[in-house]
Amino acid sequence: MPKELVQIFKYWYATQLNVVRWSGVYSRPYGMECGVRQGGLTSPKLFNLYVNALIEELSSTHVGCHIDEICLNNISYADDMVLLSASACGLSKLLGICERYALSHGLVYNTKKSECMVFQARGRCLDNIPSVKLNGTPLRRVDKFKYLGHFVTSDLRDDTDIERERRALSVRANMIARRFARCSRDVKITLFRAFCTSFYTCSLWVFYSQKQYSALRVQYNNAFRVLLGLPRFCSASGMFAEARVDCFFTTMRKRCTSLIGRVRVSPNSILKALTDRYDCRYLNHCTMVHFLILWLRVSKSAICVHLK
């Protein structure tokens, strides 16, 4: 990098002042002694430069989980890092690397927000697991944790995350139904598409109970009925077809197709290793969802033709 650019960043971060606003009142100015500016355009690049050496060191150890001879022992997004290992010994080694890097680079890990989880192998839960320590503090062992808005559980089931999305959908649907009750039908349909069809991380759902999945579908249908003021027991397929809005199953199929398409063209070596495996559980699930819904639609059409 040019020395002039480095000097600009040094001057920028050494002289900038921050204030806190609370109820219209500003605090005394203070200097920022660590970290990057939140919301700054250069902040992601600067942070990546800061922690890239740690990610490289973790990946070069080849300690952790492997997929087709590709080591996968850390997943990082900004300041949220997940360490993966098939053994407690391997996990302790990865934590030791993080501790040494933090000590030499002025970082401090928050042991209260750091957690440890043991995934069940083929339905078996291991009890004799030694405690995992970070900076000498034993980490709290949990059965679920929320990573980037998605609930991950020790049994790898998605019921908890589906329930999270069902509750979030209920809140969003009630909000737009209350605030936009006097809007036109077209405006309400546009709001429904914008706020009620996203289903954050639904493309990752693979292992769940049909009861929980159906509860989300019912919530989706009821949200549309309430927003448009339709009868409670009116036909779901009919109301979506009349409004030209995707039904629940169509929305899910599009989400899965979109994710698979992006994963298949990704240059990431880990993602390519997953897509190249014919026994990948997620890809098989998406394929089954697509063909099952297609079969149901074809069967329903055949029955309708027969009745006519």
Side-chain angles (χ1 to χ4, degrees):
M1 295 177 61
K3 293 183 179 180
E4 294 79 7
L5 185 59
V6 176
Q7 293 297 327
I8 289 175
F9 279 115
K10 285 184 63 176
Y11 177 80
W12 189 10
Y13 273 90
T15 59
Q16 65 179 339
L17 297 176
N18 302 330
V19 294
V20 176
R21 185 178 66 178
W22 182 264
S23 298
V25 180
Y26 292 89
S27 68
R28 293 180 180 178
Y30 63 93
M32 189 174 67
E33 299 179 356
C34 61
V36 293
R37 299 175 68 248
Q38 185 173 3
L41 296 178
T42 59
S43 297
K45 291 290 185 181
L46 293 175
F47 186 81
N48 288 341
L49 290 172
Y50 195 72
V51 300
N52 186 62
L54 172 61
I55 297 175
E56 289 181 346
E57 185 175 0
L58 290 171
S59 301
S60 63
T61 59
H62 299 289
V63 174
C65 301
H66 291 76
I67 302 176
D68 288 346
E69 299 182 357
I70 297 178
C71 181
L72 178 59
N73 56 15
N74 71 93
I75 303 175
S76 300
Y77 185 86
D79 59 344
D80 289 325
M81 174 175 286
V82 174
L83 300 179
L84 301 172
S85 178
S87 64
C89 180
L91 188 60
S92 298
K93 184 175 181 179
L94 297 177
L95 285 173
I97 295 175
C98 293
E99 291 174 354
R100 292 192 296 271
Y101 189 88
L103 183 62
S104 60
H105 288 75
L107 294 174
V108 178
Y109 286 106
N110 192 335
T111 56
K112 294 182 179 180
K113 291 185 177 181
S114 301
E115 299 170 334
C116 175
M117 188 170 70
V118 179
F119 292 102
Q120 298 179 9
R122 298 179 181 178
R124 295 179 300 151
C125 183
L126 303 178
D127 297 326
N128 299 325
I129 302 294
S131 62
V132 179
K133 297 182 180 180
L134 177 62
N135 293 329
T137 303
L139 297 181
R140 182 166 58 98
R141 182 174 171 181
V142 297
D143 293 326
K144 67 176 181 180
F145 73 94
K146 196 174 186 179
Y147 183 65
L148 302 181
H150 181 88
F151 273 110
V152 182
T153 60
S154 59
D155 57 1
L156 296 178
R157 296 185 65 89
D158 298 308
D159 290 348
T160 302
D161 196 65
I162 293 177
E163 177 62 18
R164 170 199 59 79
E165 185 58 37
R166 190 192 68 81
R167 292 175 179 270
L169 174 61
S170 176
V171 172
R172 295 195 300 268
N174 290 331
M175 181 270 295
I176 61 176
R178 183 177 64 256
R179 295 185 180 181
F180 303 96
R182 298 183 179 180
C183 293
S184 64
R185 175 184 174 89
D186 292 339
V187 171
K188 291 180 179 179
I189 292 176
T190 301
L191 290 171
F192 182 83
R193 288 196 180 103
F195 289 93
C196 300
T197 62
S198 59
F199 293 124
Y200 181 68
T201 71
C202 69
S203 304
L204 303 177
W205 297 339
V206 177
F207 188 34
Y208 49 81
S209 65
Q210 193 60 41
K211 178 180 179 181
Q212 196 66 48
Y213 196 70
S214 298
L216 178 60
R217 176 182 58 82
V218 171
Q219 187 72 57
Y220 180 81
N221 296 342
N222 289 338
F224 192 75
R225 291 189 181 102
V226 171
L227 184 61
L228 296 187
L230 299 175
R232 181 178 179 182
F233 296 103
C234 66
S235 172
S237 57
M239 67 180 184
F240 285 123
E242 182 182 356
R244 297 183 179 275
V245 176
D246 291 338
C247 68
F248 177 79
F249 294 114
T250 302
T251 301
M252 290 299 176
R253 187 172 71 249
K254 285 185 176 180
R255 295 293 182 271
C256 291
T257 304
S258 175
L259 180 60
I260 291 179
R262 286 180 283 127
V263 168
R264 287 190 179 277
V265 299
S266 174
N268 186 280
S269 59
I270 298 175
L271 295 181
K272 289 182 68 67
L274 291 173
T275 55
D276 292 339
R277 293 183 64 98
Y278 291 102
D279 59 344
C280 179
R281 185 171 184 176
Y282 175 74
L283 295 180
N284 292 334
H285 166 76
C286 293
T287 304
M288 290 300 298
V289 167
H290 176 75
F291 283 105
L292 178 60
I293 295 175
L294 179 62
W295 180 82
L296 288 175
R297 288 184 176 276
V298 172
S299 300
K300 186 175 182 180
S301 300
I303 294 175
C304 291
V305 172
H306 178 71
L307 292 177
K308 287 184 178 179

